Amino acid sequence: MSESVTPGVRGMTVASAFSGMRSVAPVVFRAGCPDCRGRFELGAHALRLVIGASRRTTFYSFTCPACEAAVRKPAGERVVELLTGGGVSTLRLHSTA
């Protein structure tokens, strides 16, 4: 891999800019199942976020690791922000334009 220079930064290579970085801990989200009342933590890969045109059509979903029920919960603005920032896969049902 060749050393490339980071645009806008004189004399700094990509390798030197990231040389001090350590690995980042994966984000986990706390969740609960309404069916079995289980409480657990899920990684971003276990959640799906759907952003619709209204509050009624914006939700996140996951499969309960305890009872395997399909769980769907509403997602307000703050939840959407947290899930998207944490790398949760997102499906947009409407255009943002």
Side-chain angles (χ1 to χ4, degrees):
M1 180 175 212
S2 65
E3 296 268 327
S4 61
V5 177
T6 305
V9 180
R10 288 197 142 160
M12 182 177 288
T13 64
V14 172
S16 65
F18 292 102
S19 65
M21 287 187 75
R22 306 249 187 267
S23 64
V24 177
V27 176
V28 291
F29 299 93
R30 290 189 201 140
C33 177
D35 288 354
C36 72
R37 302 279 187 222
R39 312 268 320 143
F40 38 83
E41 292 183 342
L42 297 172
H45 67 280
L47 296 157
R48 297 291 173 261
L49 174 62
V50 176
I51 299 176
S54 70
R55 288 185 193 191
R56 292 180 61 195
T57 58
T58 300
F59 61 91
Y60 66 98
S61 63
F62 59 90
T63 300
C64 175
C67 71
E68 298 185 358
V71 179
R72 177 176 162 167
K73 295 188 174 188
E77 287 181 34
R78 180 70 177 140
V79 172
V80 168
E81 183 180 316
L82 291 170
L83 294 177
T84 55
V88 172
S89 179
T90 303
L91 173 65
R92 293 187 184 273
L93 299 178
H94 70 291
S95 70
T96 57

